[in-house]
Amino acid sequence: MKVLITGASSGIGRDMARIMAQKADELVLVARDLKKLEELKQELESKTKVEIISIDLTSEENCKEIHNRVQNVDILINNAGFGDCGDFTKTSLEKEINMIKTNIIAYHILTKLYLIDMKNKDSGKILNVASIAGVMPGPLMATYYATKNYVVRLSEAIREELKKDKSKVQISILCPGPVNTNFNKVANVKFNLREANSMKVAEYAIKNLEKGKFYIVPGMDVKFARIGVRFLPNSIIAKFAYMAQKRKLGGN
Ligand SMILES: NC(=O)c1ccc[n+]([C@@H]2O[C@H](COP(=O)([O-])OP(=O)(O)OC[C@H]3O[C@@H](n4cnc5c(N)ncnc54)[C@H](OP(=O)(O)O)[C@@H]3O)[C@@H](O)[C@H]2O)c1
């Protein structure tokens, strides 16, 4: 089994790589930070074959190059992503454009290209790492929530197409709440909510991917939040989300 994981240099992606090293014949790990990828390769290569690709996913060409270089993938885990926090008129446009490229366009390209391959051989799994942020509006983190909403809606639609085609290919989404990773530092936030342990989230994700679940939502509190948003109008959810984000605004 060959597994490709983006955003494997840190956090949830790195922990999923550690778990997959016990199961896969071949791991392909993608991120920008070569040193961290090399350290992870050294840690895992006694367990499985590991290829690392240091590349920036904000470039469309780089995403297409990954697909050209890495063929016969059985499991694709689109995980690389980041956020930012602050009033929409005050946050950095450049950072947001890079966020849209990483969190949306790279997911879109890799999902499409590998899904075509998987459909042709009628096997394979794609795990798109979204967030609980993907099922609601997110004032003060507007762009990040919007990117994750894209991932959720895209994956839900693809899932239905696969069902209608009676395809054996599986697509799943991981929707965690706050997780203790490097995310906060990059997003300039301080979570006041309890943060989940990254390895526990990764273990839960892989276990449920193997079971064939579509919505993978780790933690009872996050499960309740997902149920809650189904019954409340978006205008009310936006008010709650605003209050929650306001409490965790970092240096902005
Ligand atoms: N932590 C949370 O609270 C939380 C909650 C829900 C969902 N998530 C989602 O979980 C995923 C993983 O995040 P994390 O929490 O594990 O954060 P993290 O520790 O900051 O890891 C993010 C990963 O994405 C990679 N990445 C970012 N920009 C990239 C780019 N342009 N090109 C290639 N790789 C890039 C980073 O690698 P390099 O810097 O080496 O490139 C790193 O490996 C993200 O999609 C995030 O939105 C996180």
Side-chain angles (χ1 to χ4, degrees), residues 154-213:
L154 181 77
S155 308
E156 285 172 337
I158 293 169
R159 177 204 193 200
E160 188 57 26
E161 291 180 3
L162 289 171
K163 266 195 199 170
K164 287 283 180 283
D165 287 349
K166 298 196 176 12
S167 170
K168 293 199 182 89
V169 179
Q170 178 192 329
I171 189 160
S172 298
I173 45 172
L174 174 64
C175 297
V179 187
N180 187 3
T181 66
N182 207 32
F183 180 90
N184 299 356
K185 204 171 142 215
V186 179
N188 206 17
V189 293
K190 290 181 213 139
F191 284 126
N192 292 321
L193 306 164
R194 194 177 54 81
E195 289 174 275
N197 172 278
S198 169
M199 179 51 90
K200 288 212 168 109
V201 168
E203 280 168 353
Y204 186 84
I206 301 302
K207 189 176 79 189
N208 284 285
L209 178 73
E210 287 171 347
K211 281 187 191 166
K213 268 191 97 172

Side-chain angles (χ1 to χ4, degrees), residues 37-51:
L37 286 175
E38 280 171 345
E39 282 166 11
L40 188 61
K41 181 177 172 167
Q42 223 171 30
E43 179 189 325
L44 302 181
E45 67 190 351
S46 62
K47 300 187 177 89
T48 192
K49 188 175 166 202
V50 182
E51 182 186 350

Side-chain angles (χ1 to χ4, degrees), residues 7-12 31-33 55-58 79-82 102 107 129-131 144 148 176-179 181-183 191:
S9 65
S10 167
I12 303 168
R32 290 165 303 185
D33 191 323
I55 206 162
D56 186 349
L57 291 168
T58 58
N79 164 78
F82 69 96
T102 310
Y107 272 59
V129 178
S131 166
Y144 177 69
K148 293 303 180 179
V179 187
T181 66
N182 207 32
F183 180 90
F191 284 126

